[in-house]
Amino acid sequence: MRAASGMNSTASASFAAPSSRWVTPMRLVVALGSAAFVISWHIIGVNLHSVFSLQAAADTWKFVSGLFPPDFSWEFLRTVFAATSQTLATAVAATILSIGLGLPLAIFASANLWRRGVLVEAEQRSAGAAVLSAMSRLTRAVLGFVRAVPDLLWAILFVTMVGLGSLAGTLALAVAYSGLIGQVFSDVFDAADLQPLEALQSTGATRLQIFFRGMLPQCLAPLTAYALYSFECCVRAASVLGLVGAGGIGYEIGISLRLFEYGQVLTLVLAFIGLMAITDALSRFLRGRITRRSLKTATGQRTFPKLGRLGTFLFSLVLVIGVGGSFYLSGFRPEVLDQQDLIRHATQFLLGMMPPDLRPTFIYKMSYLVLETFAISFIGTCIGVLFGAVLSVPATANLVFVNADETARHGALERSFRFLLYWVARLVLNFMRAIPELVWVLVCILVIGIGPFAGAIAIGFHTAGVLGKLYAETMEEARQAPIEALYAVGARPFQVLLCGIWPQAKPMLFNYTLLRWEANLRVSTILGLVGGGGLGQAIYNNIQLGFYPQVATMILLVYVLVVATDWAGDRIRNYYWQNQAASC
Amino acid sequence: MIYALDSVSKVYLQGRTRVRALHEVSLRVTGAEHIALLGPSGAGKSTLFRLLNATIRPTHGAVLFEGRDLTNMTGRQIRAVRQRIGTIYQQHNLVPSLTVLQNTLCGGLGRWSLAHTLKGMFRPQKPDLEKALSAIETVGLADKRHARADELSGGQQQRVAIARALMQDPDVILADEPVASLDPRLAEEVMDLLIQVAHENQRTLIVSLHKVDVAIQRLPRVVALREGAVEFDAPSSQVNPTLLKELYSTGTPAARKEKNESGFRNEFNCLS
């Protein structure tokens, strides 16, 4: 009886679980997304003719053929070496400065030390304590602001303040990364185990004593790991900063592009990729050591081998020379710092920004730029998702190779074809990812001209590399057992992708895409500094014209935009994860 | 002749060490036979199944399916063969985030074109849907058809796996420990179901089992694997406790042999 009624009601059942509502979250997202796409498309003036034209093809060919052969002349290699070491020095000095600046702020921003919890609970509710608590909250907000403003924006501000050169870059990175360091470090402090701190307090220790003897030792491993990661990011940023006049590899890339010396560009890009690869590997090695050490504390194993007295001396010597040299190279030189008008100029600039131009008419005028910035990030992300998704399929090992036994079944020709397909896809993705967005902008400008469309395509290329790699890795991590079952049914790789891998990977793919869009919005505010449209372009123009109050307003707008996106992204992600179990 | 295996061996590389999963296994399966596969854990039962459904290739020897060598086929041919062999895995191997209905529909993938698959993701064709629903009906999960696979109990997941195999409508059903994770009543039901399904369409059925009594009672032929080799292959009526004790005893073959001999001596002593 039950069976019969079941059959009748299901004969017309749809594939998905039946829903009584006409408006489902999925349909809403699709509708909003399509609307945003159409509007964004319109705003940034996507001109497909300019991409798919003979002229564009000729320009692209001119550029690509110009890249080869790369310029390996002795003369130029010296320039490359100098630029690379300057970039590295900038990163080292900026990281040290940002830790020096960020650590005290992080301590002061920590809620557990000053605002709530067991350490402050017993204290008198005096005016002093209230002020301290408010100051701590304020510090946290300032860190949030410093972090939300993109590093390149800091760079152009410092270039205006202290002039062209790597000193501006170093200071900019020091400030930008102190925001990041401060925020992350204070999060780490707040995650510390409070019980040992309570014990220390009961001995009568002061707040700072508690910090140094109880909190810091607990947090040392994650702090070091994060500082190393931050150094990695710093090297990447330091290479790009030069594009707005702050020295290093980026500066040389900008010059070579303007001189149409594309061979030199390729050499510089290769140097950049090499520098990044070495830094990544070194940082990953050290971080791995540190986290492994902190996991097995009881084994008595040392994180790093013990050095003898001579070893310690030599190590310290190298360290001192390295750090000192970095500061020297990155612009902390007497002749740079001694300029009479350095301080005067800087204060003049800062005071010039006060008060920001908050007239409604001006802000209304800016709203179109905000929209344009948003549109660049949206179209850019869409392009990235499209290319990334297409490239991620041949870059997924369990789709291309199936398994070792399956591969052996194919003929030698097909096997080598699959191998080639996989490695070419991986190589293309890595290359797209390695080139920073700003360099992509400069390349795109050569073909389609200055403007928001170039910015969107640039973001799209970089995003395709980042997302394609993440997509492929996520799909490779899908559970293998169901996939084996589908192959055993006689399914082809594409069917396995659709019915076995996609349903498993979908939530993570969505998550990564959303996170990347947030990052892209941040980037799209600065693309304009090199000609990619959006708010950045207006900021650049206004700085050139000396309209500093307007610049201040635009920086505030960037802050609002970034914070709003982070907030919206968090909400969407939470909503999505909560509804994962219910409907898929 | 459905299957013909001639001294088939399979060696896995686990890191640097070579693991011998199967060693010179020979097996003949003619027509719609129903076979129980016995053997202790790690005897190579799952490896044998993966050889039989053309997921892996033997290191030595050949697996013939209806007289054709499975190791020497193009991708298209191999998919055509796989489509005719339904596998029910020990761990069910369902796609966790798909519903019962969607998982069942996956059984049809081997027959579908890419366009058909894409269309089916949004709106499956009526014949497919009816077939899937009747398969779900057969395993008694009609009221759960829209539940996600990872929300089901182990027994229910097992039945979805059977429904997927029914959807596939194969000529051969390979079931790897289909009742291992079920309580006795459910185990009985699932075995009934498998045997009934196999009888109806004259299908070949090979079931690996841990429950020896079930195997001997329900299936006419028993193949026993031990340490990757066939220990015995006999009609169930001829399987006796001594053979089974031998099969599940521990120790190396040499040690067993020794024990055997001493056993004989004991018997001899008793007789005298």
Side-chain angles (χ1 to χ4, degrees), chain B residues 44-64:
Chain B
K45 300 193 294 292
S46 296
T47 306
L48 182 58
F49 275 131
R50 295 172 85 203
L51 277 173
L52 293 179
N53 72 10
T55 296
I56 57 175
R57 293 155 60 88
T59 319
H60 300 293
V63 179
L64 301 184

mmCIF file with all atom_site columns, all heavy atoms in Angstrom, chain B residues 44-64:
data_model
loop_
_atom_site.group_PDB
_atom_site.id
_atom_site.type_symbol
_atom_site.label_atom_id
_atom_site.label_alt_id
_atom_site.label_comp_id
_atom_site.label_asym_id
_atom_site.label_entity_id
_atom_site.label_seq_id
_atom_site.pdbx_PDB_ins_code
_atom_site.Cartn_x
_atom_site.Cartn_y
_atom_site.Cartn_z
_atom_site.occupancy
_atom_site.B_iso_or_equiv
_atom_site.pdbx_formal_charge
_atom_site.auth_seq_id
_atom_site.auth_comp_id
_atom_site.auth_asym_id
_atom_site.auth_atom_id
_atom_site.pdbx_PDB_model_num
ATOM 1   N N   . GLY B 1 44 ? 42.422 -10.603 0.208   1.00 0.00 ? 44 GLY B N   1
ATOM 2   C CA  . GLY B 1 44 ? 42.452 -10.178 -1.186  1.00 0.00 ? 44 GLY B CA  1
ATOM 3   C C   . GLY B 1 44 ? 41.082 -10.174 -1.843  1.00 0.00 ? 44 GLY B C   1
ATOM 4   O O   . GLY B 1 44 ? 40.982 -10.093 -3.067  1.00 0.00 ? 44 GLY B O   1
ATOM 5   N N   . LYS B 1 45 ? 40.025 -10.244 -1.034  1.00 0.00 ? 45 LYS B N   1
ATOM 6   C CA  . LYS B 1 45 ? 38.668 -10.284 -1.610  1.00 0.00 ? 45 LYS B CA  1
ATOM 7   C C   . LYS B 1 45 ? 38.352 -8.985  -2.357  1.00 0.00 ? 45 LYS B C   1
ATOM 8   O O   . LYS B 1 45 ? 37.878 -9.019  -3.488  1.00 0.00 ? 45 LYS B O   1
ATOM 9   C CB  . LYS B 1 45 ? 37.629 -10.506 -0.490  1.00 0.00 ? 45 LYS B CB  1
ATOM 10  C CG  . LYS B 1 45 ? 37.820 -11.809 0.277   1.00 0.00 ? 45 LYS B CG  1
ATOM 11  C CD  . LYS B 1 45 ? 36.621 -12.136 1.134   1.00 0.00 ? 45 LYS B CD  1
ATOM 12  C CE  . LYS B 1 45 ? 36.385 -11.166 2.279   1.00 0.00 ? 45 LYS B CE  1
ATOM 13  N NZ  . LYS B 1 45 ? 37.412 -11.206 3.334   1.00 0.00 ? 45 LYS B NZ  1
ATOM 14  N N   . SER B 1 46 ? 38.631 -7.850  -1.695  1.00 0.00 ? 46 SER B N   1
ATOM 15  C CA  . SER B 1 46 ? 38.318 -6.568  -2.342  1.00 0.00 ? 46 SER B CA  1
ATOM 16  C C   . SER B 1 46 ? 39.161 -6.372  -3.596  1.00 0.00 ? 46 SER B C   1
ATOM 17  O O   . SER B 1 46 ? 38.682 -5.843  -4.602  1.00 0.00 ? 46 SER B O   1
ATOM 18  C CB  . SER B 1 46 ? 38.547 -5.417  -1.369  1.00 0.00 ? 46 SER B CB  1
ATOM 19  O OG  . SER B 1 46 ? 37.650 -5.516  -0.292  1.00 0.00 ? 46 SER B OG  1
ATOM 20  N N   . THR B 1 47 ? 40.416 -6.802  -3.543  1.00 0.00 ? 47 THR B N   1
ATOM 21  C CA  . THR B 1 47 ? 41.284 -6.696  -4.719  1.00 0.00 ? 47 THR B CA  1
ATOM 22  C C   . THR B 1 47 ? 40.713 -7.516  -5.867  1.00 0.00 ? 47 THR B C   1
ATOM 23  O O   . THR B 1 47 ? 40.691 -7.065  -7.016  1.00 0.00 ? 47 THR B O   1
ATOM 24  C CB  . THR B 1 47 ? 42.701 -7.188  -4.377  1.00 0.00 ? 47 THR B CB  1
ATOM 25  O OG1 . THR B 1 47 ? 43.166 -6.481  -3.252  1.00 0.00 ? 47 THR B OG1 1
ATOM 26  C CG2 . THR B 1 47 ? 43.635 -6.980  -5.542  1.00 0.00 ? 47 THR B CG2 1
ATOM 27  N N   . LEU B 1 48 ? 40.220 -8.718  -5.540  1.00 0.00 ? 48 LEU B N   1
ATOM 28  C CA  . LEU B 1 48 ? 39.637 -9.569  -6.576  1.00 0.00 ? 48 LEU B CA  1
ATOM 29  C C   . LEU B 1 48 ? 38.438 -8.872  -7.213  1.00 0.00 ? 48 LEU B C   1
ATOM 30  O O   . LEU B 1 48 ? 38.292 -8.859  -8.440  1.00 0.00 ? 48 LEU B O   1
ATOM 31  C CB  . LEU B 1 48 ? 39.224 -10.912 -5.975  1.00 0.00 ? 48 LEU B CB  1
ATOM 32  C CG  . LEU B 1 48 ? 38.648 -11.923 -6.968  1.00 0.00 ? 48 LEU B CG  1
ATOM 33  C CD1 . LEU B 1 48 ? 39.642 -12.221 -8.074  1.00 0.00 ? 48 LEU B CD1 1
ATOM 34  C CD2 . LEU B 1 48 ? 38.258 -13.210 -6.266  1.00 0.00 ? 48 LEU B CD2 1
ATOM 35  N N   . PHE B 1 49 ? 37.594 -8.235  -6.388  1.00 0.00 ? 49 PHE B N   1
ATOM 36  C CA  . PHE B 1 49 ? 36.439 -7.520  -6.930  1.00 0.00 ? 49 PHE B CA  1
ATOM 37  C C   . PHE B 1 49 ? 36.864 -6.387  -7.858  1.00 0.00 ? 49 PHE B C   1
ATOM 38  O O   . PHE B 1 49 ? 36.271 -6.185  -8.911  1.00 0.00 ? 49 PHE B O   1
ATOM 39  C CB  . PHE B 1 49 ? 35.581 -6.948  -5.800  1.00 0.00 ? 49 PHE B CB  1
ATOM 40  C CG  . PHE B 1 49 ? 34.592 -7.943  -5.256  1.00 0.00 ? 49 PHE B CG  1
ATOM 41  C CD1 . PHE B 1 49 ? 34.459 -8.154  -3.905  1.00 0.00 ? 49 PHE B CD1 1
ATOM 42  C CD2 . PHE B 1 49 ? 33.785 -8.658  -6.122  1.00 0.00 ? 49 PHE B CD2 1
ATOM 43  C CE1 . PHE B 1 49 ? 33.553 -9.063  -3.413  1.00 0.00 ? 49 PHE B CE1 1
ATOM 44  C CE2 . PHE B 1 49 ? 32.868 -9.578  -5.634  1.00 0.00 ? 49 PHE B CE2 1
ATOM 45  C CZ  . PHE B 1 49 ? 32.757 -9.781  -4.276  1.00 0.00 ? 49 PHE B CZ  1
ATOM 46  N N   . ARG B 1 50 ? 37.904 -5.661  -7.445  1.00 0.00 ? 50 ARG B N   1
ATOM 47  C CA  . ARG B 1 50 ? 38.335 -4.533  -8.277  1.00 0.00 ? 50 ARG B CA  1
ATOM 48  C C   . ARG B 1 50 ? 38.964 -5.022  -9.579  1.00 0.00 ? 50 ARG B C   1
ATOM 49  O O   . ARG B 1 50 ? 38.960 -4.300  -10.584 1.00 0.00 ? 50 ARG B O   1
ATOM 50  C CB  . ARG B 1 50 ? 39.311 -3.645  -7.502  1.00 0.00 ? 50 ARG B CB  1
ATOM 51  C CG  . ARG B 1 50 ? 38.636 -2.979  -6.302  1.00 0.00 ? 50 ARG B CG  1
ATOM 52  C CD  . ARG B 1 50 ? 39.614 -2.274  -5.428  1.00 0.00 ? 50 ARG B CD  1
ATOM 53  N NE  . ARG B 1 50 ? 39.887 -0.926  -5.893  1.00 0.00 ? 50 ARG B NE  1
ATOM 54  C CZ  . ARG B 1 50 ? 41.007 -0.268  -5.593  1.00 0.00 ? 50 ARG B CZ  1
ATOM 55  N NH1 . ARG B 1 50 ? 41.950 -0.862  -4.876  1.00 0.00 ? 50 ARG B NH1 1
ATOM 56  N NH2 . ARG B 1 50 ? 41.184 0.950   -6.026  1.00 0.00 ? 50 ARG B NH2 1
ATOM 57  N N   . LEU B 1 51 ? 39.492 -6.258  -9.560  1.00 0.00 ? 51 LEU B N   1
ATOM 58  C CA  . LEU B 1 51 ? 39.968 -6.839  -10.818 1.00 0.00 ? 51 LEU B CA  1
ATOM 59  C C   . LEU B 1 51 ? 38.786 -7.234  -11.687 1.00 0.00 ? 51 LEU B C   1
ATOM 60  O O   . LEU B 1 51 ? 38.778 -7.022  -12.900 1.00 0.00 ? 51 LEU B O   1
ATOM 61  C CB  . LEU B 1 51 ? 40.815 -8.076  -10.539 1.00 0.00 ? 51 LEU B CB  1
ATOM 62  C CG  . LEU B 1 51 ? 42.276 -7.876  -10.197 1.00 0.00 ? 51 LEU B CG  1
ATOM 63  C CD1 . LEU B 1 51 ? 42.885 -9.203  -9.792  1.00 0.00 ? 51 LEU B CD1 1
ATOM 64  C CD2 . LEU B 1 51 ? 43.013 -7.304  -11.403 1.00 0.00 ? 51 LEU B CD2 1
ATOM 65  N N   . LEU B 1 52 ? 37.755 -7.807  -11.034 1.00 0.00 ? 52 LEU B N   1
ATOM 66  C CA  . LEU B 1 52 ? 36.607 -8.313  -11.791 1.00 0.00 ? 52 LEU B CA  1
ATOM 67  C C   . LEU B 1 52 ? 35.805 -7.179  -12.415 1.00 0.00 ? 52 LEU B C   1
ATOM 68  O O   . LEU B 1 52 ? 35.211 -7.353  -13.479 1.00 0.00 ? 52 LEU B O   1
ATOM 69  C CB  . LEU B 1 52 ? 35.698 -9.154  -10.880 1.00 0.00 ? 52 LEU B CB  1
ATOM 70  C CG  . LEU B 1 52 ? 36.284 -10.476 -10.374 1.00 0.00 ? 52 LEU B CG  1
ATOM 71  C CD1 . LEU B 1 52 ? 35.303 -11.184 -9.466  1.00 0.00 ? 52 LEU B CD1 1
ATOM 72  C CD2 . LEU B 1 52 ? 36.674 -11.377 -11.535 1.00 0.00 ? 52 LEU B CD2 1
ATOM 73  N N   . ASN B 1 53 ? 35.763 -5.978  -11.755 1.00 0.00 ? 53 ASN B N   1
ATOM 74  C CA  . ASN B 1 53 ? 35.006 -4.887  -12.378 1.00 0.00 ? 53 ASN B CA  1
ATOM 75  C C   . ASN B 1 53 ? 35.910 -3.916  -13.145 1.00 0.00 ? 53 ASN B C   1
ATOM 76  O O   . ASN B 1 53 ? 35.522 -2.789  -13.434 1.00 0.00 ? 53 ASN B O   1
ATOM 77  C CB  . ASN B 1 53 ? 34.132 -4.167  -11.348 1.00 0.00 ? 53 ASN B CB  1
ATOM 78  C CG  . ASN B 1 53 ? 34.924 -3.313  -10.373 1.00 0.00 ? 53 ASN B CG  1
ATOM 79  O OD1 . ASN B 1 53 ? 36.110 -3.088  -10.531 1.00 0.00 ? 53 ASN B OD1 1
ATOM 80  N ND2 . ASN B 1 53 ? 34.247 -2.826  -9.365  1.00 0.00 ? 53 ASN B ND2 1
ATOM 81  N N   . ALA B 1 54 ? 37.104 -4.369  -13.460 1.00 0.00 ? 54 ALA B N   1
ATOM 82  C CA  . ALA B 1 54 ? 38.015 -3.632  -14.352 1.00 0.00 ? 54 ALA B CA  1
ATOM 83  C C   . ALA B 1 54 ? 38.409 -2.274  -13.793 1.00 0.00 ? 54 ALA B C   1
ATOM 84  O O   . ALA B 1 54 ? 38.602 -1.328  -14.531 1.00 0.00 ? 54 ALA B O   1
ATOM 85  C CB  . ALA B 1 54 ? 37.429 -3.474  -15.745 1.00 0.00 ? 54 ALA B CB  1
ATOM 86  N N   . THR B 1 55 ? 38.534 -2.173  -12.458 1.00 0.00 ? 55 THR B N   1
ATOM 87  C CA  . THR B 1 55 ? 39.055 -0.933  -11.884 1.00 0.00 ? 55 THR B CA  1
ATOM 88  C C   . THR B 1 55 ? 40.573 -0.966  -11.880 1.00 0.00 ? 55 THR B C   1
ATOM 89  O O   . THR B 1 55 ? 41.229 0.042   -12.123 1.00 0.00 ? 55 THR B O   1
ATOM 90  C CB  . THR B 1 55 ? 38.521 -0.748  -10.448 1.00 0.00 ? 55 THR B CB  1
ATOM 91  O OG1 . THR B 1 55 ? 37.116 -0.598  -10.510 1.00 0.00 ? 55 THR B OG1 1
ATOM 92  C CG2 . THR B 1 55 ? 39.127 0.478   -9.800  1.00 0.00 ? 55 THR B CG2 1
ATOM 93  N N   . ILE B 1 56 ? 41.133 -2.139  -11.594 1.00 0.00 ? 56 ILE B N   1
ATOM 94  C CA  . ILE B 1 56 ? 42.591 -2.262  -11.602 1.00 0.00 ? 56 ILE B CA  1
ATOM 95  C C   . ILE B 1 56 ? 43.001 -3.369  -12.579 1.00 0.00 ? 56 ILE B C   1
ATOM 96  O O   . ILE B 1 56 ? 42.160 -4.151  -13.031 1.00 0.00 ? 56 ILE B O   1
ATOM 97  C CB  . ILE B 1 56 ? 43.139 -2.570  -10.188 1.00 0.00 ? 56 ILE B CB  1
ATOM 98  C CG1 . ILE B 1 56 ? 42.503 -3.831  -9.630  1.00 0.00 ? 56 ILE B CG1 1
ATOM 99  C CG2 . ILE B 1 56 ? 42.909 -1.393  -9.267  1.00 0.00 ? 56 ILE B CG2 1
ATOM 100 C CD1 . ILE B 1 56 ? 43.090 -4.254  -8.304  1.00 0.00 ? 56 ILE B CD1 1
ATOM 101 N N   . ARG B 1 57 ? 44.284 -3.396  -12.895 1.00 0.00 ? 57 ARG B N   1
ATOM 102 C CA  . ARG B 1 57 ? 44.809 -4.392  -13.832 1.00 0.00 ? 57 ARG B CA  1
ATOM 103 C C   . ARG B 1 57 ? 45.667 -5.400  -13.074 1.00 0.00 ? 57 ARG B C   1
ATOM 104 O O   . ARG B 1 57 ? 46.361 -5.017  -12.141 1.00 0.00 ? 57 ARG B O   1
ATOM 105 C CB  . ARG B 1 57 ? 45.712 -3.724  -14.867 1.00 0.00 ? 57 ARG B CB  1
ATOM 106 C CG  . ARG B 1 57 ? 45.009 -2.801  -15.811 1.00 0.00 ? 57 ARG B CG  1
ATOM 107 C CD  . ARG B 1 57 ? 45.976 -1.773  -16.330 1.00 0.00 ? 57 ARG B CD  1
ATOM 108 N NE  . ARG B 1 57 ? 47.090 -2.384  -17.042 1.00 0.00 ? 57 ARG B NE  1
ATOM 109 C CZ  . ARG B 1 57 ? 47.053 -2.661  -18.341 1.00 0.00 ? 57 ARG B CZ  1
ATOM 110 N NH1 . ARG B 1 57 ? 45.997 -2.381  -19.042 1.00 0.00 ? 57 ARG B NH1 1
ATOM 111 N NH2 . ARG B 1 57 ? 48.091 -3.199  -18.934 1.00 0.00 ? 57 ARG B NH2 1
ATOM 112 N N   . PRO B 1 58 ? 45.606 -6.647  -13.486 1.00 0.00 ? 58 PRO B N   1
ATOM 113 C CA  . PRO B 1 58 ? 46.469 -7.626  -12.825 1.00 0.00 ? 58 PRO B CA  1
ATOM 114 C C   . PRO B 1 58 ? 47.938 -7.368  -13.161 1.00 0.00 ? 58 PRO B C   1
ATOM 115 O O   . PRO B 1 58 ? 48.242 -6.836  -14.238 1.00 0.00 ? 58 PRO B O   1
ATOM 116 C CB  . PRO B 1 58 ? 45.999 -8.959  -13.413 1.00 0.00 ? 58 PRO B CB  1
ATOM 117 C CG  . PRO B 1 58 ? 45.338 -8.602  -14.696 1.00 0.00 ? 58 PRO B CG  1
ATOM 118 C CD  . PRO B 1 58 ? 44.777 -7.234  -14.533 1.00 0.00 ? 58 PRO B CD  1
ATOM 119 N N   . THR B 1 59 ? 48.836 -7.697  -12.230 1.00 0.00 ? 59 THR B N   1
ATOM 120 C CA  . THR B 1 59 ? 50.260 -7.582  -12.496 1.00 0.00 ? 59 THR B CA  1
ATOM 121 C C   . THR B 1 59 ? 50.701 -8.696  -13.441 1.00 0.00 ? 59 THR B C   1
ATOM 122 O O   . THR B 1 59 ? 51.494 -8.481  -14.345 1.00 0.00 ? 59 THR B O   1
ATOM 123 C CB  . THR B 1 59 ? 51.061 -7.659  -11.188 1.00 0.00 ? 59 THR B CB  1
ATOM 124 O OG1 . THR B 1 59 ? 50.367 -6.910  -10.204 1.00 0.00 ? 59 THR B OG1 1
ATOM 125 C CG2 . THR B 1 59 ? 52.448 -7.088  -11.370 1.00 0.00 ? 59 THR B CG2 1
ATOM 126 N N   . HIS B 1 60 ? 50.200 -9.918  -13.192 1.00 0.00 ? 60 HIS B N   1
ATOM 127 C CA  . HIS B 1 60 ? 50.448 -11.049 -14.097 1.00 0.00 ? 60 HIS B CA  1
ATOM 128 C C   . HIS B 1 60 ? 49.129 -11.731 -14.384 1.00 0.00 ? 60 HIS B C   1
ATOM 129 O O   . HIS B 1 60 ? 48.206 -11.655 -13.581 1.00 0.00 ? 60 HIS B O   1
ATOM 130 C CB  . HIS B 1 60 ? 51.407 -12.066 -13.458 1.00 0.00 ? 60 HIS B CB  1
ATOM 131 C CG  . HIS B 1 60 ? 52.739 -11.481 -13.136 1.00 0.00 ? 60 HIS B CG  1
ATOM 132 N ND1 . HIS B 1 60 ? 53.610 -11.068 -14.102 1.00 0.00 ? 60 HIS B ND1 1
ATOM 133 C CD2 . HIS B 1 60 ? 53.326 -11.224 -11.951 1.00 0.00 ? 60 HIS B CD2 1
ATOM 134 C CE1 . HIS B 1 60 ? 54.692 -10.569 -13.515 1.00 0.00 ? 60 HIS B CE1 1
ATOM 135 N NE2 . HIS B 1 60 ? 54.542 -10.656 -12.208 1.00 0.00 ? 60 HIS B NE2 1
ATOM 136 N N   . GLY B 1 61 ? 49.078 -12.438 -15.514 1.00 0.00 ? 61 GLY B N   1
ATOM 137 C CA  . GLY B 1 61 ? 47.883 -13.189 -15.842 1.00 0.00 ? 61 GLY B CA  1
ATOM 138 C C   . GLY B 1 61 ? 46.827 -12.323 -16.494 1.00 0.00 ? 61 GLY B C   1
ATOM 139 O O   . GLY B 1 61 ? 47.027 -11.130 -16.691 1.00 0.00 ? 61 GLY B O   1
ATOM 140 N N   . ALA B 1 62 ? 45.708 -12.930 -16.827 1.00 0.00 ? 62 ALA B N   1
ATOM 141 C CA  . ALA B 1 62 ? 44.670 -12.208 -17.558 1.00 0.00 ? 62 ALA B CA  1
ATOM 142 C C   . ALA B 1 62 ? 43.303 -12.480 -16.950 1.00 0.00 ? 62 ALA B C   1
ATOM 143 O O   . ALA B 1 62 ? 43.034 -13.572 -16.462 1.00 0.00 ? 62 ALA B O   1
ATOM 144 C CB  . ALA B 1 62 ? 44.678 -12.636 -19.025 1.00 0.00 ? 62 ALA B CB  1
ATOM 145 N N   . VAL B 1 63 ? 42.465 -11.417 -16.945 1.00 0.00 ? 63 VAL B N   1
ATOM 146 C CA  . VAL B 1 63 ? 41.073 -11.565 -16.539 1.00 0.00 ? 63 VAL B CA  1
ATOM 147 C C   . VAL B 1 63 ? 40.232 -11.524 -17.805 1.00 0.00 ? 63 VAL B C   1
ATOM 148 O O   . VAL B 1 63 ? 40.237 -10.533 -18.528 1.00 0.00 ? 63 VAL B O   1
ATOM 149 C CB  . VAL B 1 63 ? 40.650 -10.421 -15.595 1.00 0.00 ? 63 VAL B CB  1
ATOM 150 C CG1 . VAL B 1 63 ? 39.194 -10.588 -15.204 1.00 0.00 ? 63 VAL B CG1 1
ATOM 151 C CG2 . VAL B 1 63 ? 41.539 -10.382 -14.374 1.00 0.00 ? 63 VAL B CG2 1
ATOM 152 N N   . LEU B 1 64 ? 39.537 -12.641 -18.101 1.00 0.00 ? 64 LEU B N   1
ATOM 153 C CA  . LEU B 1 64 ? 38.694 -12.678 -19.288 1.00 0.00 ? 64 LEU B CA  1
ATOM 154 C C   . LEU B 1 64 ? 37.239 -12.515 -18.874 1.00 0.00 ? 64 LEU B C   1
ATOM 155 O O   . LEU B 1 64 ? 36.757 -13.217 -17.998 1.00 0.00 ? 64 LEU B O   1
ATOM 156 C CB  . LEU B 1 64 ? 38.869 -13.994 -20.042 1.00 0.00 ? 64 LEU B CB  1
ATOM 157 C CG  . LEU B 1 64 ? 40.268 -14.344 -20.529 1.00 0.00 ? 64 LEU B CG  1
ATOM 158 C CD1 . LEU B 1 64 ? 40.225 -15.632 -21.339 1.00 0.00 ? 64 LEU B CD1 1
ATOM 159 C CD2 . LEU B 1 64 ? 40.839 -13.219 -21.375 1.00 0.00 ? 64 LEU B CD2 1
#
